[in-house]
Amino acid sequence: MTTKRLFAADLGASGGKCFAGVFEGKQFTLKEIHRFAHEGVSFYLPDRTGAVRERMYWDDIFIYRNIVEGLRTFRRDVCDKLDSIGIDTWGADGHFVSGDGEMLGKIHCYRDHRLDNMVQEVKKKVDARRMYEITGVHFQPFNVSNQMHWFVKNRAELLLPGCMFLPIPTVFYYYLGGVKQVDSSWASVTQLMNAKKKKWSSEILRKLDIPLTVMPEIVEPGAVLGELSEELAAATGLNRALLIAAASHDTASAFAAAPVANTDEALIISSGTWSLVGKLIPEPITTEAAQAAGISNEGGVGNIRLLKNCMGTWLVQELRRVWRNVDGREMEWGEITELAASARPFGSLIDPDNTGFYNPSNMETAIAEFCRKTDQAVPAGRGACLRAVYESLALKYRVVNEQISAVCGQTSKVVHIVGGGCKNEMLNQFTANAIGIPVLAGPEEATAVGNMMVQAQGLGIIPSLLDALPLIKQAFPIKQYNPADGKTWEKAYSRFHTIVG
């Protein structure tokens, strides 16, 4: 019986995990072997005018060091023979590398305030309707289109001959084996790729003054990119494993792992720092109605993710950070759930996607301010604040479900919640209650599972992702939540619409 051993690095915006996956016959097992926390780091430095401003960067060296530690753990705890490595990341950011292989400075975090007004700047250069027709991607402040246009406007002197832009997953593939390509699932979210042709749009690049020569080659998920460098393989005690393009946008990997029986009837929510709410469709939909609803067409694995990027547990993560600074300790997640459960239902509601919640200095203060502006009571205590977030997230999911269903003409009959957020039983039940259809939660580590399955397809272990579904269902339990309290939630939904507009 042939055994194949795979390694996945799943890098989110607040932490990273490394996994070992083993395919043996018709069996698949997944084991987490290393995890670490990380976050954007703020610096307060003067610019050329002397004005001090906040700059937020990623610590890519720390992340790389932890991937290497994950590989060493694989060798110690699993095997010294590894077939392939796949990397998935959040869907923004990247940096330039010189022709001599030097990174051109630090890697900005997508929440950095340099991007606060860049959507307006980009719209001055490219007609908004035309940009959506080509890319199918909604305007967001963190889009790579904004980041690269900022770079060419403000750091053009660094664009020397031979330099190239490396998307954030490519940065780590580059560190492991000199790879400079990116897969279409990640390229699709940049707002620079032609959604139908899966190529960089020369028209958009030209209008944004971005040289086509700095853009990496786009490949399909599952493509073999190269091998672990000889020196790094020796340093980790491993063989030169293949580097395979996973669906390197973490949402694409997560959607690939959703055990969906009928794509026409399924709404999928990849739940984590962000909530990616959408459906799988065969071709991009770039109508005016889709654009008006703020819906994006993102590349999947043989399909399109028609989805909306909503705020997720970022709000709770930020509340937790604020309270950590006050208390001198980190609140446990069980404590957070208990506080939310004990609070009065529907005391206050917020729009999770209000710009005031994107990157405030104090999330608790931002929520209080939103409630004052909308003539609501300010949440009285931490439990009330947390419950307001969870109930509002569920109600926002219903709004997005109705928007997406109207655009694609497919009514949702079941919700699949995948990713780390599927562990949140309160939010799962609230989602079933708000939308009024069953919720199927799991797998928890959907991003890593999808990463593994795309690698498996690239290695020829499985012919397609359809063949992955039995493996996923066999390996991971799925929990069902049925809707309840329909009248109460219907009343809350009406109020929510009034509050968010």
Side-chain angles (χ1 to χ4, degrees):
M1 183 181 295
T2 302
T3 300
K4 295 289 186 180
R5 298 177 179 87
L6 285 58
F7 177 93
D10 174 21
L11 308 176
S14 58
K17 302 174 189 175
C18 298
F19 295 85
V22 178
F23 289 83
E24 195 163 14
K26 296 182 179 180
Q27 299 293 312
F28 169 70
T29 57
L30 182 77
K31 179 184 178 183
E32 181 186 311
I33 56 175
H34 180 62
R35 88 163 46 201
F36 58 97
H38 77 91
E39 57 188 12
V41 181
S42 290
F43 294 76
Y44 301 91
L45 301 171
D47 62 18
R48 66 188 66 185
T49 70
V52 175
R53 66 177 183 84
E54 180 183 7
R55 304 168 193 236
M56 186 174 284
Y57 301 119
W58 294 115
D59 189 344
D60 56 306
I61 297 172
F62 175 80
I63 297 172
Y64 163 73
R65 190 176 71 201
N66 275 278
I67 295 173
V68 173
E69 183 57 36
L71 289 169
R72 289 192 173 113
T73 303
F74 184 98
R75 187 255 306 156
R76 287 194 304 267
D77 297 352
V78 182
C79 189
D80 61 358
K81 300 298 181 185
L82 175 60
D83 289 285
S84 65
I85 298 170
I87 299 172
D88 65 77
T89 72
W90 61 97
D93 304 325
H95 206 42
F96 287 85
V97 62
S98 74
D100 286 327
E102 296 291 340
M103 300 300 285
L104 302 182
K106 300 182 186 301
I107 300 177
H108 276 101
C109 173
Y110 62 83
R111 293 189 190 275
D112 184 81
H113 290 294
R114 81 195 191 287
L115 301 176
D116 288 351
N117 299 310
M118 285 308 298
V119 168
Q120 291 75 18
E121 292 295 318
V122 167
K123 286 182 177 179
K124 290 177 184 177
K125 304 282 287 187
V126 187
D127 175 74
R129 178 70 191 130
R130 178 60 178 160
M131 198 158 192
Y132 189 79
E133 285 177 338
I134 293 172
T135 69
V137 174
H138 176 56
F139 286 88
Q140 296 274 19
F142 50 76
N143 285 349
V144 171
S145 55
N146 303 325
Q147 298 192 31
M148 294 194 68
H149 185 53
W150 178 91
F151 191 93
V152 297
K153 282 189 65 177
N154 296 279
R155 300 289 185 270
E157 69 277 7
L158 297 178
L159 289 176
L160 300 175
C163 75
M164 180 172 286
F165 175 73
L166 303 183
I168 197 68
T170 309
V171 166
F172 299 107
Y173 277 117
Y174 177 70
Y175 290 164
L176 293 182
V179 170
K180 294 183 180 179
Q181 298 154 299
V182 67
D183 85 285
S184 58
S185 79
W186 204 96
S188 71
V189 303
T190 61
Q191 210 181 27
L192 297 172
M193 189 188 89
N194 185 306
K196 295 179 180 178
K197 296 180 179 179
K198 296 184 180 181
K199 295 181 178 180
W200 301 118
S201 169
S202 57
E203 176 183 340
I204 292 175
L205 291 176
R206 183 177 65 255
K207 290 180 177 179
L208 294 180
D209 304 314
I210 301 168
L212 178 60
T213 54
V214 306
M215 303 304 292
E217 178 189 2
I218 298 173
V219 300
E220 287 293 316
V224 176
L225 304 173
E227 295 178 315
L228 189 64
S229 70
E230 184 177 354
E231 295 80 5
L232 189 53
T236 55
L238 292 166
N239 58 296
R240 298 192 66 187
L242 295 177
L243 300 176
I244 291 184
S248 59
H249 187 290
D250 52 10
T251 309
S253 280
F255 271 48
V260 174
N262 185 335
T263 55
D264 291 347
E265 298 179 350
L267 182 75
I268 304 173
I269 302 175
S270 177
S271 179
T273 301
W274 293 90
S275 294
L276 292 307
V277 185
K279 286 176 170 288
L280 294 174
I281 60 173
E283 298 292 337
I285 298 175
T286 58
T287 60
E288 291 186 12
Q291 182 180 6
I295 295 169
S296 286
N297 295 264
E298 300 184 355
V301 185
N303 50 36
I304 297 294
R305 292 170 287 132
L306 187 71
L307 58 75
K308 199 161 185 177
N309 197 344
C310 304
M311 203 68 78
T313 56
W314 159 256
L315 292 94
V316 179
Q317 290 166 7
E318 280 296 286
L319 287 171
R320 192 179 184 219
R321 182 183 65 83
V322 169
W323 296 331
R324 178 186 68 198
N325 293 339
V326 172
D327 300 342
R329 70 173 186 89
E330 197 90 86
M331 290 179 68
E332 298 293 335
W333 288 106
E335 182 182 0
I336 286 173
T337 301
E338 289 176 8
L339 282 171
S342 65
R344 180 171 65 90
F346 306 113
S348 304
L349 296 172
I350 64 170
D351 181 358
D353 295 315
N354 183 274
T355 55
F357 301 136
Y358 184 70
N359 192 16
S361 58
N362 186 307
M363 185 64 76
E364 187 174 24
T365 302
I367 289 173
E369 182 61 23
F370 180 90
C371 291
R372 291 190 191 97
K373 286 183 178 179
T374 52
D375 297 320
Q376 298 182 87
V378 172
R382 295 180 179 183
C385 199
L386 290 163
R387 189 167 188 117
V389 169
Y390 287 134
E391 289 173 340
S392 299
L393 283 172
L395 291 165
K396 191 60 180 277
Y397 296 161
R398 175 170 170 178
V399 171
V400 177
N401 174 57
E402 291 176 354
Q403 291 174 327
I404 290 175
S405 294
V407 165
C408 69
Q410 297 172 355
T411 301
S412 301
K413 295 183 180 179
V414 63
V415 180
H416 287 269
I417 298 183
V418 297
C422 80
K423 294 184 294 184
N424 192 320
E425 296 193 353
M426 172 181 286
L427 184 55
N428 293 342
Q429 186 61 60
F430 284 177
T431 302
N433 296 350
I435 302 179
I437 56 179
V439 164
L440 299 179
E444 174 187 334
E445 299 296 354
T447 306
V449 174
N451 181 323
M452 292 284 184
M453 294 303 166
V454 175
Q455 287 189 66
Q457 187 175 342
L459 289 172
I461 299 171
I462 55 174
S464 72
L465 287 185
L466 286 176
D467 300 280
L469 292 182
L471 295 172
I472 294 170
K473 290 179 178 179
Q474 164 263 320
F476 306 101
I478 307 298
K479 186 171 182 179
Q480 181 165 330
Y481 299 81
N482 294 316
D485 301 326
K487 291 183 179 179
T488 302
W489 279 85
E490 197 65 37
K491 183 178 179 181
Y493 186 57
S494 177
R495 180 179 153 213
F496 181 76
H497 258 295
T498 302
I499 292 167
V500 304

